[in-house]
Amino acid sequence: MRILEEMKPGNQTTVTHFLLWGFGLHGKMKLLFSIVISVMFLATMIGNSLIVGITAIDSALHTPMYYFLNNLALTEICYSLSIVPKMLLILLGERKIISFTACALQLSCAILFVTCECFLLGVMAYDRQVAICHPLHYGTMMNRDLCFKMAVGSWLSGIPVALVFPIWLFTLPFCGRNKVDHFFCDVSPVLNLVCADTALFELLIFMATVMIVMIPFSLIIISYLLIIHAVLQIPSAVGQRQAFSTCAAHLVVVTFFYSTTGIIHLRPKSSLSSNMKKMVSLSYTVVTPMINPFIYSLRNQKVKQSLRECINKRLLRKQMIFSLYSS
């Protein structure tokens, strides 16, 4: 399929569309992969939507911990919606084209939601630290106003980077190159198409990425050092296990999220092979948003109890309506 291009004076070709190459699968493997991604995307939407709904409806879950989980689930929903539907269209159809503007918008959304998740994970670590180290003052320290400011700050933290770098990147010359060797418009594959000196861009985006990663990561490290110190003061081994168990899920997701995103975004032009970059990117664009609801909340007894109560109330309401109509 011929990609539309415009000619500027001086025979300079301006790219108006990009070709997302995806995974290069064919036949049965392509169909099987599409089914797997579709199922994972559906699980992501259902799982995270349940978290958002339950934590909003049930007053028993109106605590800082579940408030931040609500925001994290909403971030995962937005992030998945910005990438996976287009990826499925590329896998299932022959049309692999994405417009110049849509590509820039997709990159902006990816940066915004990844940054938001980084800061939310840092905020959640701080919340656990206050809950374990200062249990008697938890309600006062983590008041509603502070939680709201933390959540809003996390959402707003990525806006400058999500605006500045995509605009800068997409104003650089591509010299007719339009084949993006990836399944979505990420920094590294788009940067590889630029036919100009990108040293300054790489330096500044590296510095921005380090700040985005290190600020919340430092908060996470400090929080967990304080948590470990506080837990070791607990004389009972059972009490220590219970305290650590409240942080285990968060620690697993932090490790998985930071290790995968760091490999890709801390080195935009790294020596990793194209297929390896795609698999690492797939882990934090599809796998992480799917497993987060299960790791964080759906295995949590309070959330499971709340979910059962909501289902029972809905079934009871349906039975009452049916009995009214039948009588």
Side-chain angles (χ1 to χ4, degrees):
M1 185 178 290
R2 188 174 181 273
I3 308 299
L4 299 175
E5 297 172 345
E6 295 175 353
M7 298 298 294
K8 282 191 172 182
N11 292 329
Q12 184 179 356
T13 306
T14 302
V15 175
T16 59
H17 292 75
F18 287 103
L19 182 66
L20 287 174
W21 193 244
F23 294 92
L25 300 174
H26 303 283
K28 292 182 178 179
M29 280 299 297
K30 180 179 177 181
L31 179 61
L32 178 62
F33 191 71
S34 301
I35 293 171
V36 171
I37 297 297
S38 298
V39 171
M40 294 173 77
F41 177 63
L42 186 62
T44 298
M45 291 295 104
I46 293 173
N48 285 288
S49 296
L50 282 173
I51 299 244
V52 171
I54 291 170
T55 53
I57 293 170
D58 193 345
S59 58
L61 301 180
H62 290 176
T63 62
M65 175 178 154
Y66 295 104
Y67 177 70
F68 294 128
L69 281 175
N70 182 300
N71 279 269
L72 183 68
L74 190 58
T75 305
E76 300 286 23
I77 290 171
C78 295
Y79 187 49
S80 296
L81 286 173
S82 68
I83 292 173
V84 181
K86 183 63 181 178
M87 179 172 64
L88 288 173
L89 286 175
I90 293 168
L91 283 169
L92 297 171
E94 296 298 324
R95 187 175 176 84
K96 299 178 181 290
I97 294 174
I98 184 170
S99 71
F100 191 88
T101 304
C103 189
L105 183 61
Q106 188 181 60
L107 177 58
S108 293
C109 289
I111 293 173
L112 175 64
F113 298 130
V114 166
T115 304
C116 178
E117 184 160 354
C118 281
F119 280 90
L120 278 174
L121 290 173
V123 166
M124 292 168 74
Y126 176 74
D127 170 68
R128 291 297 82 208
Q129 179 259 314
V130 174
I132 292 173
C133 299
H134 310 282
L136 298 179
H137 303 285
Y138 179 66
T140 305
M141 293 177 69
M142 296 300 294
N143 57 72
R144 182 175 296 183
D145 185 53
L146 179 62
C147 292
F148 176 76
K149 289 178 180 177
M150 283 181 165
V152 171
S154 298
W155 281 96
L156 297 179
S157 61
I159 291 179
V161 183
L163 288 176
V164 172
F165 285 103
I167 291 173
W168 183 5
L169 177 58
F170 283 87
T171 54
L172 294 173
F174 292 94
C175 302
R177 300 175 184 176
N178 51 30
K179 180 182 173 183
V180 180
D181 190 16
H182 209 38
F183 59 87
F184 76 102
C185 292
D186 204 0
V187 174
S188 179
V190 175
L191 192 62
N192 288 333
L193 302 179
V194 175
C195 56
D197 184 13
T198 60
L200 180 61
F201 179 90
E202 289 182 63
L203 174 63
L204 292 181
I205 199 168
F206 173 78
M207 292 171 62
T209 305
V210 168
M211 287 181 63
I212 290 169
V213 170
M214 290 310 297
I215 291 174
F217 190 70
S218 299
L219 181 60
I220 291 169
I221 294 296
I222 293 170
S223 297
Y224 274 105
L225 287 175
L226 293 172
I227 287 170
I228 291 170
H229 180 266
V231 169
L232 291 177
Q233 306 303 313
I234 301 174
S236 167
V238 176
Q240 290 181 355
R241 284 196 298 271
Q242 287 178 344
F244 276 127
S245 67
T246 63
C247 306
H250 178 262
L251 198 57
V252 169
V253 173
V254 164
T255 303
F256 189 69
F257 178 79
Y258 275 94
S259 60
T260 53
T261 54
I263 290 172
I264 299 298
H265 294 290
L266 285 175
R267 298 181 63 192
K269 283 191 173 180
S270 65
S271 57
L272 288 175
S273 67
S274 174
N275 288 333
M276 182 60 69
K277 285 182 179 179
K278 291 175 188 177
M279 293 310 296
V280 173
S281 297
L282 194 68
S283 67
Y284 69 81
T285 55
V286 179
V287 179
T288 301
M290 180 192 69
I291 65 174
N292 276 358
F294 299 95
I295 293 176
Y296 272 121
S297 299
L298 297 184
R299 293 183 63 187
N300 182 291
Q301 290 300 321
K302 284 187 177 180
V303 176
K304 288 165 73 173
Q305 182 181 349
S306 177
L307 182 60
R308 282 194 294 267
E309 288 177 358
C310 288
I311 293 172
N312 290 336
K313 286 179 182 178
R314 190 173 182 84
L315 290 173
L316 181 62
R317 192 180 297 115
K318 284 185 176 181
Q319 287 177 357
M320 290 176 65
I321 292 171
F322 179 75
S323 61
L324 285 172
Y325 277 105
S326 60
S327 61

